[in-house]
Amino acid sequence: MIRTLMAMIATLAVTAPALRADPKDDIQAAVQKLADSPSYSWSSSVSGGMGRGTQEGKTEKDGYTTVTLQLRDTSFDIALKGVKAVVKTDSGWKTTSEVMSDEGSDNAGGPPGPEFFAAIIARNFKTPVQQALDNIDALSNIQKTDDGYSADLSEDAIKAMVARPRPRAAATTNPDAAATSMPSPNISNASGSVKIALSNGNLTQIVVHVTATITINGNDRDIDRTTTTTFKDVGSTTVDVPDDAKAKLAS
């Protein structure tokens, strides 16, 4: 009898923390575990709304990150380390400031080219794991699913996701001015959800679905966008960065 009672107490001692566990803590732990891994790769695809396309990335902890992204019909490579970013152009690797300055000189009075947009993305780039960590507190109504969790996203988080930078009608020779003087669209009817897939406590996939209405210069555009990001090769990813890109990042 005493042994049975002791066994029951021991079982409760082990299971009680799990019963009390906050699902947000489970999500936080899984995302942080991936962020703390030596390296990993990811693939993202976007369907619907603005920003559709694909993204392939590799990153190493406290090291380099490389990303290949598709903008319309053009593919771009970017490399990052810390807060610095460079873009591969037709004339070689350039810093984001160099790309934006070149666009201002070459396209004065006209619309900026794709490299200008690539530079904006590179300058503001965050890995999907960084974005997930930033939005943990934006999750609500978290529900357990067969392979992880589902949750609603806050309105502010959705607005930040869909409010992509928009350059002025003409690029400028002052890249900082170009980045800060873009018109801010009005975003309404924002709603969204996220599905987080886990395997043995490891983050394997994030699917984000957002809808909103963006109003720019009096024109409305409805957004219905789904972003699916899959993580792979955790701990075994190798990030290869060309020497000229490293030199630009070190300058």
Side-chain angles (χ1 to χ4, degrees):
M1 179 67 179
I2 293 177
R3 289 181 179 177
T4 302
L5 181 60
M6 294 298 293
M8 292 175 61
I9 293 174
T11 301
L12 288 172
V14 172
T15 59
L19 292 173
R20 295 193 302 267
D22 184 341
K24 188 177 289 188
D25 291 340
D26 287 346
I27 296 171
Q28 172 88 41
V31 176
Q32 189 63 57
K33 181 179 180 181
L34 185 54
D36 291 337
S37 65
S39 63
Y40 63 87
S41 303
W42 77 87
S43 300
S44 293
S45 62
V46 182
S47 60
M50 294 185 292
R52 70 184 63 185
T54 60
Q55 183 185 111
E56 299 284 339
K58 299 180 178 181
T59 188
E60 55 190 14
K61 186 173 175 61
D62 301 323
Y64 292 101
T65 297
T66 58
V67 184
T68 299
L69 52 92
Q70 189 77 24
L71 292 178
R72 298 176 182 172
D73 297 326
T74 306
S75 178
F76 282 97
D77 293 322
I78 65 176
L80 308 97
K81 188 173 185 180
V83 297
K84 295 184 177 180
V86 293
V87 179
K88 186 177 182 180
T89 70
D90 291 339
S91 54
W93 289 91
K94 295 182 179 181
T95 66
T96 56
S97 294
E98 288 174 332
V99 172
M100 297 168 80
S101 294
D102 290 346
E103 284 287 328
S105 299
D106 297 340
N107 296 312
E115 290 181 356
F116 186 83
F117 288 92
I120 294 174
I121 293 173
R123 173 172 287 201
N124 297 284
F125 187 82
K126 289 185 177 182
T127 67
V129 171
Q130 289 174 308
Q131 295 177 50
L133 286 172
D134 288 346
N135 287 306
I136 292 292
D137 290 338
L139 302 180
S140 63
N141 190 30
I142 302 174
Q143 303 290 326
K144 189 73 175 71
T145 64
D146 290 341
D147 60 353
Y149 294 96
S150 65
D152 294 330
L153 287 165
S154 72
E155 184 179 11
D156 287 343
I158 297 165
K159 287 182 177 181
M161 291 177 186
V162 301
R164 292 185 177 274
R166 294 176 61 84
R168 296 179 299 182
T172 175
T173 55
N174 184 343
D176 292 318
T180 58
S181 62
M182 300 169 188
S184 298
N186 179 61
I187 301 172
S188 58
N189 305 320
S191 64
S193 61
V194 59
K195 295 180 180 178
I196 299 166
L198 307 176
S199 177
N200 298 320
N202 298 307
L203 179 63
T204 59
Q205 189 179 74
I206 298 176
V207 180
V208 178
H209 176 232
V210 296
T211 61
T213 300
I214 298 181
T215 304
I216 301 176
N217 298 326
N219 298 314
D220 291 342
R221 180 169 182 179
D222 291 328
I223 302 298
D224 189 339
R225 187 173 73 202
T226 300
T227 304
T228 302
T229 302
T230 302
F231 303 97
K232 57 187 177 180
D233 300 330
V234 179
S236 61
T237 292
T238 300
V239 182
D240 297 318
V241 181
D243 289 339
D244 47 350
K246 288 182 178 179
K248 282 289 185 180
L249 287 168
S251 63

